[in-house]
Amino acid sequence: MISAHPVHPSGTRARVLLSSVFGPYAQDDDYGSRKINPMELYHNQVTRVQGPFSLRMFHRSFGLMMIQANLEAPCTLLDFPDRDRFIDEVRKNQYDIIGISSIIPNVGKVKEMCRLIREYQPGATIVVGGHVTNLGGIEKTIDADYIVRGDGIRWFRKFLGQDETTPVKHPMVYSAHSTRILGQDLSDNPGDTAAIVIPSVGCPMGCNFCSTSALFGGKGNFINFYETGDELFAIMLQMEENLKARTFFIMDENFLLHRTRALRLLELMQAHKKSWALNVFSSARVLRSYTIEQLVGLGIIWVWMGLEGQDSDYRKLSGVDTRELVTEFQSHGIRVLGSSIIGLESHTAETIEQAVEFSVSHCTDFHQFMLYTPLPGTPLYEKHRKDGSLLAPAEFSPADAHGQFRFNFRHRAIPKGQEEHLILQAFQKDFERNGPSLLRLMRTMFKGWMRYRNHPDSRVRTRYANDVRPLRTSYAGALWAMRKWYRDNKGLEREVRQLLREVTNEFGWRTRAFATISGPIIYQTMKNEQKRLAKGWTLEPKSFFEKNAAALALEMGNLARLRRSVLPVLPEAAWNFGCTSSSASTG
């Protein structure tokens, strides 16, 4: 059922479990997992064909973490469990409320999890949220008590009888974990990875294909968790202290669109001499509304920018020469991830090559290609529903609605079955023309350093020095290995050799020695990685099990009651042994 203002009878005494859908993910199974759609954003949608050069990493379920951080009730988070681990949790531990978040391709897993909950905990209230809730007929597809669309924090607060207007608490969490490239696992040490900051959800731009915008109200609507630059600055200070972070991933569909907030953050960073680096999403038109001095001052080092496609009708690109913009940003050390769409209404089998050529010509540091996909809840979906071009469920499974395989509608000009070939062709062309994204990234980093190494503002100098630090060591070794890898590709080999020469000339004999010593080792790990990938080797995220303060307090209270009940019959030594074992297993 769907209710606007349900209230759980136990209020903040209710025991809550929040869970992502179960794994494994990078395989074909009966629950909707697809080998072609691993739980890796970059390897799935950006560096898909780059082999050992592909950037591998996993991202936490940030929405669930935001909800957990804002509940006064005891709340446990189970992130990326496998099916057996999820069963074990709901079979052995009692919960009053169990929440599940998912995207549409994983609706089969949500259905199975609801079934398992009914089997092992029939008294639990099941709440389902996330993009899967936009799926038509979801109420009949899954056995849930509540379907929550939009802001889960506010909904859960009201459900538990909390004050929904209380300022939103932000979890202290890194943006990614288990990063891997060139066959090597990178460090997850404090400060090595960007912290995640979520100022807002939704996007007022309201592009007709954007499911995120649709989920939070559509065109003209968004939800600000933090209205001011002062609030954001305070959160980032906490993350700097608790996570040792100096780089932040601002997870906001169009962060710079909120100009007053962004410029106030800049003022505070300048006043407190913070050499922070920011990774942001932004549209081209909004980026052009800032001066390069403002962007550099804010510490913008990475921009995810929609390029959509040549001749697209999206206003966020109108009047902007995106190729000129990308080149300018890279000259200032700002990496650009361009995002292009295959299969726009204007595309035909004949013109698609021109559209891909336009995208590739930007030479962005990274490039995402996605199939034009009308997702439920979006205006684009409604348009195709009305004109009757959507494929029936028997023709197209929701598990395949991930934008890397097939259209879920009948394209007027591109024959069915050509989509995967077209999108792979786009990835391959970008890779062959522009080289590995890692090479492009290093080139842009070096340009930024050479431009700003002597900048009069010490805050700017420090940031670029921090940014370029890997080029002094590990990246120099990667360039050595890359040069050998491309020894039969004269164009790329020459490009890599030139950058390595410039880097070692700039940073001196230590960098040259590091490249010479570590390069052969990296080259061998790349060869090993290539062999693993050829055999179909995949990666899966590790599972996380975390309790909030209220859940930990409840657990300690239960232990205290247990101690009082067994104290008369157990010697103190036995109790101490039990405490030690319990603490170790909990940790």
Side-chain angles (χ1 to χ4, degrees):
M1 71 179 186
I2 302 176
S3 177
H5 301 287
V7 178
H8 194 277
S10 297
T12 55
R13 298 189 308 277
R15 292 157 298 181
V16 182
L17 172 67
L18 300 177
S19 181
S20 59
V21 295
F22 61 81
Y25 308 97
Q27 65 173 32
D28 296 322
D29 65 21
D30 295 335
Y31 300 113
S33 283
R34 295 290 186 266
K35 189 171 184 178
I36 197 176
N37 187 35
M39 190 66 77
E40 301 178 73
L41 186 148
Y42 279 87
H43 186 61
N44 181 0
Q45 302 174 9
V46 182
T47 55
R48 180 174 168 182
V49 301
Q50 296 192 21
F53 295 103
S54 183
L55 180 58
R56 318 293 296 268
M57 64 174 66
F58 296 100
H59 304 277
R60 293 293 306 276
S61 300
F62 300 123
L64 292 179
M65 299 184 80
M66 289 286 287
I67 293 171
Q68 184 192 39
N70 287 277
L71 297 191
E72 296 171 10
C75 180
T76 299
L77 173 59
L78 185 58
D79 211 2
F80 305 127
D82 60 24
R83 184 172 178 274
D84 289 341
R85 177 66 183 87
F86 180 76
I87 291 174
D88 192 57
E89 187 62 29
V90 297
R91 183 171 62 86
K92 292 182 178 179
N93 298 290
Q94 193 67 33
Y95 293 100
D96 301 298
I97 305 165
I98 301 178
I100 305 166
S101 179
S102 173
I103 58 174
I104 289 174
N106 290 320
V107 64
K109 295 194 172 188
V110 177
K111 181 179 180 180
E112 173 66 2
M113 292 170 79
C114 290
R115 186 192 69 78
L116 291 169
I117 295 167
R118 295 300 189 210
E119 177 181 347
Y120 293 107
Q121 294 207 33
T125 298
I126 302 177
V127 182
V128 172
H131 288 274
V132 74
T133 62
N134 276 333
L135 189 63
I138 186 69
E139 294 85 357
K140 296 178 181 179
T141 303
I142 63 174
D143 182 12
D145 296 290
Y146 297 105
I147 307 295
V148 180
R149 298 180 177 92
D151 185 357
I153 297 174
R154 181 179 291 267
W155 190 93
F156 262 99
R157 281 176 164 180
K158 294 170 72 173
F159 189 49
L160 297 173
Q162 296 178 211
D163 181 359
E164 63 184 277
T165 65
T166 302
V168 172
K169 298 177 183 177
H170 202 293
M172 299 288 110
V173 60
Y174 294 111
S175 62
H177 65 89
S178 305
T179 305
R180 181 181 178 86
I181 195 167
L182 304 182
Q184 300 190 60
D185 295 320
L186 304 188
S187 167
D188 279 337
N189 293 331
D192 287 347
T193 305
I196 197 77
V197 180
I198 307 176
S200 316
V201 288
C203 179
M205 301 293 288
C207 294
N208 68 345
F209 59 81
C210 181
S211 60
T212 303
S213 177
L215 189 64
F216 294 98
K219 189 175 183 63
N221 295 296
F222 59 93
I223 297 170
N224 266 348
F225 294 135
Y226 309 105
E227 296 284 349
T228 68
D230 296 80
E231 291 173 297
L232 277 188
F233 185 75
I235 290 167
M236 294 164 76
L237 279 178
Q238 285 182 305
M239 291 180 168
E240 182 182 51
E241 180 178 353
N242 295 333
L243 303 178
K244 311 303 179 189
R246 59 189 177 206
T247 304
F248 301 88
F249 195 109
I250 311 297
M251 194 172 179
D252 185 302
E253 289 291 316
N254 211 332
F255 171 67
L256 295 172
L257 186 64
H258 306 276
R259 188 177 182 84
T260 300
R261 184 175 63 187
L263 292 181
R264 175 57 179 160
L265 178 61
L266 171 58
E267 289 178 5
L268 292 167
M269 288 172 62
Q270 291 171 330
H272 294 267
K273 300 190 183 303
K274 293 298 180 183
S275 299
W276 293 338
L278 274 59
N279 304 267
V280 303
F281 294 84
S282 186
S283 61
R285 288 182 67 199
V286 170
L287 285 165
R288 268 291 180 225
S289 70
Y290 289 78
T291 66
I292 195 68
E293 290 77 19
Q294 288 171 326
L295 295 175
V296 169
L298 264 170
I300 305 296
I301 61 166
W302 186 96
V303 173
W304 188 308
M305 181 173 66
L307 299 176
E308 271 52 271
Q310 192 174 23
D311 301 325
S312 72
D313 295 327
Y314 296 105
R315 292 185 63 250
K316 60 185 180 178
L317 298 176
S318 62
V320 179
D321 184 334
T322 50
R323 283 183 285 203
E324 178 186 341
L325 184 64
V326 169
T327 300
E328 179 186 354
F329 280 0
Q330 290 172 333
S331 73
H332 291 271
I334 300 173
R335 279 80 89 180
V336 179
L337 191 160
S339 181
S340 297
I341 296 174
I342 301 295
L344 292 168
E345 286 95 336
S346 60
H347 288 168
T348 67
E350 292 72 32
T351 63
I352 202 81
E353 187 173 339
Q354 298 172 7
V356 171
E357 175 62 32
F358 173 74
S359 295
V360 170
S361 69
H362 285 76
C363 194
T364 55
D365 301 272
F366 295 87
H367 212 116
Q368 177 192 47
F369 291 96
M370 295 287 285
L371 294 176
Y372 201 42
T373 305
L375 291 172
T378 64
L380 182 63
Y381 183 89
E382 187 62 18
K383 171 181 176 292
H384 283 277
R385 186 191 67 80
K386 288 181 177 178
D387 68 21
S389 61
L390 289 174
L391 297 178
E395 299 177 86
F396 188 90
S397 168
D400 294 320
H402 49 72
Q404 291 291 315
F405 180 52
R406 291 282 186 269
F407 292 136
N408 63 345
F409 67 103
R410 286 181 290 276
H411 196 285
R412 65 176 182 83
I414 299 176
K416 180 181 177 181
Q418 286 192 11
E419 309 96 305
E420 186 181 16
H421 169 73
L422 292 173
I423 198 167
L424 282 173
Q425 200 173 47
F427 278 117
Q428 197 65 43
K429 188 168 189 175
D430 178 62
F431 184 38
E432 292 173 356
R433 174 83 60 82
N434 298 318
S437 287
L438 179 61
L439 172 62
R440 307 178 221 174
L441 176 146
M442 290 190 284
R443 183 172 55 220
T444 299
M445 290 171 61
F446 191 66
K447 287 179 180 178
W449 164 255
M450 295 301 288
R451 186 167 198 143
Y452 288 99
R453 59 182 174 170
N454 297 317
H455 194 273
D457 186 340
S458 62
R459 193 177 64 88
V460 174
R461 287 200 311 274
T462 299
R463 179 170 65 77
Y464 278 94
N466 291 335
D467 187 42
V468 82
R469 184 172 287 117
L471 268 176
R472 297 176 179 270
T473 53
S474 57
Y475 282 5
L479 283 171
W480 190 101
M482 205 179 297
R483 182 183 62 182
K484 186 170 183 179
W485 187 271
Y486 282 113
R487 59 187 178 276
D488 295 327
N489 182 328
K490 297 306 179 185
L492 269 175
E493 192 273 341
R494 183 168 55 251
E495 187 176 336
V496 175
R497 177 163 32 88
Q498 175 64 25
L499 181 57
L500 178 60
R501 182 185 302 115
E502 292 174 359
V503 167
T504 53
N505 286 345
E506 174 65 16
F507 298 126
W509 69 267
R510 287 185 178 87
T511 297
R512 187 175 293 106
F514 201 100
T516 303
I517 294 170
S518 67
I521 299 172
I522 296 173
Y523 177 71
Q524 187 59 48
T525 64
M526 291 169 61
K527 290 174 63 179
N528 295 340
E529 189 83 344
Q530 184 83 317
K531 292 176 182 177
R532 280 189 286 265
L533 292 170
K535 294 178 181 178
W537 177 75
T538 59
L539 286 172
E540 294 287 337
K542 60 185 178 182
S543 182
F544 293 83
F545 182 73
E546 299 160 340
K547 296 177 180 289
N548 68 357
L552 291 172
L554 179 62
E555 188 174 78
M556 293 304 295
N558 290 337
L559 285 172
R561 284 190 293 275
L562 176 62
R563 178 171 188 172
R564 288 194 296 270
S565 67
V566 302
L567 192 58
V569 295
L570 283 180
E572 184 67 21
W575 170 250
N576 288 338
F577 176 78
C579 278
T580 303
S581 300
S582 175
S583 298
S585 63
T586 301

